[in-house]
Amino acid sequence: MPPSQKTERRRIGLLGGSFNPPHQGHREISLAALERLGLDAVWWLVTPGNPLKDPKIYAAYEDRLRLARVVANHPDIVVSDFERRRGLTYTAETLDALQAINPNAAFVWLMGADGLENFHRWKDWRHIAETVPIAVFNRPGHETDALASEAAKELGVFRIDPEDAMSLCATEPPVWVFLPDTENPLSSTAIRSRKISHSLTIDQSDDLIAPCGALAFFLDLHPDLGDFRADVIEGLSLPQKTISPKYFYDEAGSKLFDQITELEEYYPTRTEKEVFLENAGEITAAIGPRAAIFEYGSGSSEKIEWLVKGLKEPAAYVAMDISRDHLLENASSIAEVLPIPVAAICADFHSPIELPKSVLPPADHWLGYFPGSTLGNMTLGAAKNFLERASATLGENAQFLIGIDLVKDKAVLEAAYNDARGVTAAFNMNLLKRMKSELGAKLNLDDFEHYAFYNDVEDRIEMHLRAQCATAIEIDGEAYGFVPGETLHTENSHKFTFEKLERLVNQTPWRLEKSWTDEKGWFGACLLSNS
Ligand code: SAH
Ligand code: AVI
């Protein structure tokens, strides 16, 4: 037998496109292809420009390439600039060139159902279909048009059953398969249409990838796909109606929170600053040199400058938050100021997060940073899970600097959550506004009032939205009734003692190394270590 038939050919899936921007949909198609087609690898071919599209909508090629590598984040996905290096624009030419230099690879072309709709407009599309097998992955709303498209009709007789997908690579083209159960709601076009309102660094204001100019990378894990609608409906169906405080933070909520931090009554922000600045030398010495920092719930990234200024040779700063546009805007601004590489990840900190450490400069160790006492917004169980996940994310020999709001006089606590200007009330009521605008909920805002009090059995401030009369919130035709005085529980803000924090930490891989507080003992900074 000739050698090429003796050795099993490497099965390579090719996913071509502008990756403008790359997103989890590209990754999911690739993972599905690896599994369903039995591939050894998927290569992402980042095209310099699609002649069918307006070249003005493209972000810089280097940014798309770099971001694609971050989003791919998988050993079997290779991001390639082959088309740019070879000066190739059309897939038909790219395939010929790839086959010429890789005679022992079995290539398969991967595309979403939306790609199949327009496939007959691609240059030399019949040549493509005769050159490589094609796998088409369904996208919501595209199945009918894709299967009725000109190319699908003409190639109809060459279509194989999804059950035979494993044999696709080994089948002589033309051959193709349509995999109907691989839907993913994301597409680059949909992501591009989400506008970023303003930023110091954005020059293509309608393109999410543009801030990468200032950021080492921006990784969007799309935490918003965790369903606001489903969570609201589930929470309104409970005996004590409840909603996660993570839903406070849309663009308006994030801005209201920033205003809260400047209120006279809201002591935590300025007290935390005092704790840090009074003890800066000790805190930064305990952290040590060449740390890379990962901040959870970074918000406006206000506190990172204090830390970075004091640290010896800090390696990098990665900001992470659920509030996408707020994160992009603030991380991009801080990237202009800090003397180290800055990156951003949009994610939910209740989910596992893998840090793409390889795309940042090497660090001696990672430092998690979680200021503001946001840990107090979690139940003890959720806080324990969070600390365990953080240890996995940050890796061995990591440290974690956490800000905690301490138990104190009830009047001081209650005033901080019932400010005279009503900013906290507006922050709380913003949840109802979101339900109206994003879920089409029918409700009367005036029927509800902000209600915050200190629960001294649980050592926490509770925030609720309280019905002032008999009323209802109607979503998708279902009414969730409130009797007068009934509440929707929107947030807990647990207050700590150092002993309570240490008891919690001791149930996780972390140990409390050192802690600091202010003169009045109102706020604490705790340094944990997992080594
Ligand atoms: N760290 C800042 C901001 C605290 S406000 C400070 O100390 O002032 C809480 C921040 O956590 C907000 O920016 C909010 O968007 C973010 N956040 C809330 N829930 C989150 C979640 N589940 N995942 C990621 N970020 C979250
Ligand atoms: C973000 N978190 C720590 C704030 C807190 O104090 O619990 C959120 C907040 N809620 C009302 N005011 C501020």
Side-chain angles (χ1 to χ4, degrees), residues 8-169:
E8 179 74 0
R9 295 203 302 165
R10 265 173 61 73
R11 299 165 161 220
I12 311 287
L14 301 173
L15 188 64
S18 57
F19 294 89
N20 187 40
H23 54 70
Q24 293 301 311
H26 294 122
R27 189 170 192 268
E28 277 162 28
I29 284 188
S30 307
L31 298 184
L34 284 165
E35 191 186 319
R36 304 282 293 272
L37 311 178
L39 302 180
D40 296 303
V42 171
W43 295 356
W44 287 6
L45 301 171
V46 181
T47 176
N50 177 341
L52 292 179
K53 293 188 182 170
D54 177 355
K56 282 203 294 291
I57 68 168
Y58 288 107
Y61 189 83
E62 284 305 331
D63 285 342
R64 287 188 273 139
L65 202 62
R66 183 172 47 191
L67 194 64
R69 294 198 167 112
V70 174
V71 172
N73 196 22
H74 191 282
D76 298 329
I77 303 177
V78 177
V79 177
S80 168
D81 64 348
F82 180 77
E83 291 193 329
R84 181 181 61 166
R85 276 189 283 116
R86 290 300 198 93
L88 298 165
T89 326
Y90 296 106
T91 300
E93 297 166 354
T94 303
L95 289 175
D96 288 344
L98 278 174
Q99 287 198 327
I101 57 174
N102 297 284
N104 287 326
F107 288 113
V108 51
W109 186 256
L110 313 176
M111 66 170 132
D114 43 344
L116 181 59
E117 280 170 33
N118 292 309
F119 188 46
H120 61 280
R121 296 202 185 94
W122 293 22
K123 185 163 182 287
D124 297 328
W125 68 272
R126 290 186 185 83
H127 174 71
I128 298 172
E130 283 159 10
T131 307
V132 285
I134 297 173
V136 183
F137 296 80
N138 199 11
R139 306 293 286 269
H142 287 280
E143 178 166 1
T144 312
D145 286 350
L147 292 176
S149 68
E150 244 179 271
K153 279 194 274 180
E154 195 172 317
L155 296 173
V157 291
F158 302 110
R159 182 170 156 202
I160 62 167
D161 201 88
E163 280 182 10
D164 301 325
M166 276 291 178
S167 64
L168 185 76
C169 279

Side-chain angles (χ1 to χ4, degrees), residues 45-314:
L45 301 171
V46 181
T47 176
N50 177 341
L52 292 179
K53 293 188 182 170
D54 177 355
K56 282 203 294 291
I57 68 168
Y58 288 107
Y61 189 83
E62 284 305 331
D63 285 342
R64 287 188 273 139
L65 202 62
R66 183 172 47 191
L67 194 64
R69 294 198 167 112
V70 174
V71 172
N73 196 22
H74 191 282
D76 298 329
I77 303 177
V78 177
V79 177
S80 168
D81 64 348
F82 180 77
E83 291 193 329
R84 181 181 61 166
R85 276 189 283 116
R86 290 300 198 93
L88 298 165
T89 326
Y90 296 106
T91 300
E93 297 166 354
T94 303
L95 289 175
D96 288 344
L98 278 174
Q99 287 198 327
I101 57 174
N102 297 284
N104 287 326
F107 288 113
V108 51
W109 186 256
L110 313 176
M111 66 170 132
D114 43 344
L116 181 59
E117 280 170 33
N118 292 309
F119 188 46
H120 61 280
R121 296 202 185 94
W122 293 22
K123 185 163 182 287
D124 297 328
W125 68 272
R126 290 186 185 83
H127 174 71
I128 298 172
E130 283 159 10
T131 307
V132 285
I134 297 173
V136 183
F137 296 80
N138 199 11
R139 306 293 286 269
H142 287 280
E143 178 166 1
T144 312
D145 286 350
L147 292 176
S149 68
E150 244 179 271
K153 279 194 274 180
E154 195 172 317
L155 296 173
V157 291
F158 302 110
R159 182 170 156 202
I160 62 167
D161 201 88
E163 280 182 10
D164 301 325
M166 276 291 178
S167 64
L168 185 76
C169 279
T171 309
E172 200 56 39
V175 60
W176 66 290
V177 68
F178 183 85
L179 296 164
D181 53 349
T182 55
E183 295 178 330
N184 184 286
L186 293 173
S187 83
S188 292
T189 315
I191 292 173
R192 271 203 305 275
S193 69
R194 275 203 292 258
K195 297 259 194 290
I196 304 166
S197 44
H198 53 96
S199 156
L200 293 175
T201 57
I202 295 172
D203 46 16
Q204 288 160 290
S205 66
D206 63 348
D207 200 320
L208 252 192
I209 204 170
C212 289
L215 296 174
F217 65 78
F218 170 62
L219 175 56
D220 192 349
L221 298 176
H222 297 280
D224 48 347
L225 296 179
D227 203 346
F228 184 35
R229 182 180 298 274
D231 285 352
V232 167
I233 290 171
E234 193 186 322
L236 286 175
S237 310
L238 296 172
Q240 167 61 68
K241 297 178 171 65
T242 306
I243 176 136
S244 164
K246 72 181 182 187
Y247 291 115
F248 281 137
Y249 300 94
D250 64 348
E251 193 59 8
S254 298
K255 292 213 162 90
L256 284 165
F257 178 77
D258 284 350
Q259 288 177 33
I260 289 176
T261 63
E262 298 187 348
L263 292 169
E264 183 61 34
E265 296 94 331
Y266 196 75
Y267 61 85
T269 309
R270 62 171 178 276
T271 315
E272 182 168 34
K273 183 171 181 180
E274 185 187 324
V275 175
F276 189 87
L277 294 182
E278 287 294 313
N279 301 284
E282 248 185 76
I283 296 175
T284 52
I287 292 166
R290 288 173 297 283
I293 308 157
F294 183 45
E295 182 175 355
Y296 290 88
S298 54
S300 53
S301 284
E302 279 278 325
K303 296 167 182 166
I304 192 62
E305 258 190 281
W306 319 333
L307 191 57
V308 167
K309 267 190 190 153
L311 287 177
K312 208 166 161 206
E313 299 171 55

Side-chain angles (χ1 to χ4, degrees), residues 279-395:
N279 301 284
E282 248 185 76
I283 296 175
T284 52
I287 292 166
R290 288 173 297 283
I293 308 157
F294 183 45
E295 182 175 355
Y296 290 88
S298 54
S300 53
S301 284
E302 279 278 325
K303 296 167 182 166
I304 192 62
E305 258 190 281
W306 319 333
L307 191 57
V308 167
K309 267 190 190 153
L311 287 177
K312 208 166 161 206
E313 299 171 55
Y317 167 58
V318 182
M320 178 283 222
D321 206 284
I322 201 165
S323 187
R324 176 181 299 101
D325 292 359
H326 199 70
L327 168 70
L328 266 171
E329 189 179 326
N330 289 291
S332 299
S333 303
I334 205 78
E336 305 277 351
V337 176
L338 295 184
I340 50 174
V342 175
I345 302 181
C346 182
D348 183 338
F349 52 50
H350 296 298
S351 306
I353 300 164
E354 208 177 314
L355 272 171
K357 295 178 184 172
S358 59
V359 293
L360 290 166
D364 276 8
H365 71 286
W366 277 80
L367 171 75
Y369 184 38
F370 199 24
S373 201
T374 306
L375 187 74
N377 296 133
M378 300 178 193
T379 61
L380 282 181
K384 181 171 164 277
N385 292 338
F386 167 80
L387 289 169
E388 276 166 2
R389 273 194 309 272
S391 179
T393 300
L394 297 165

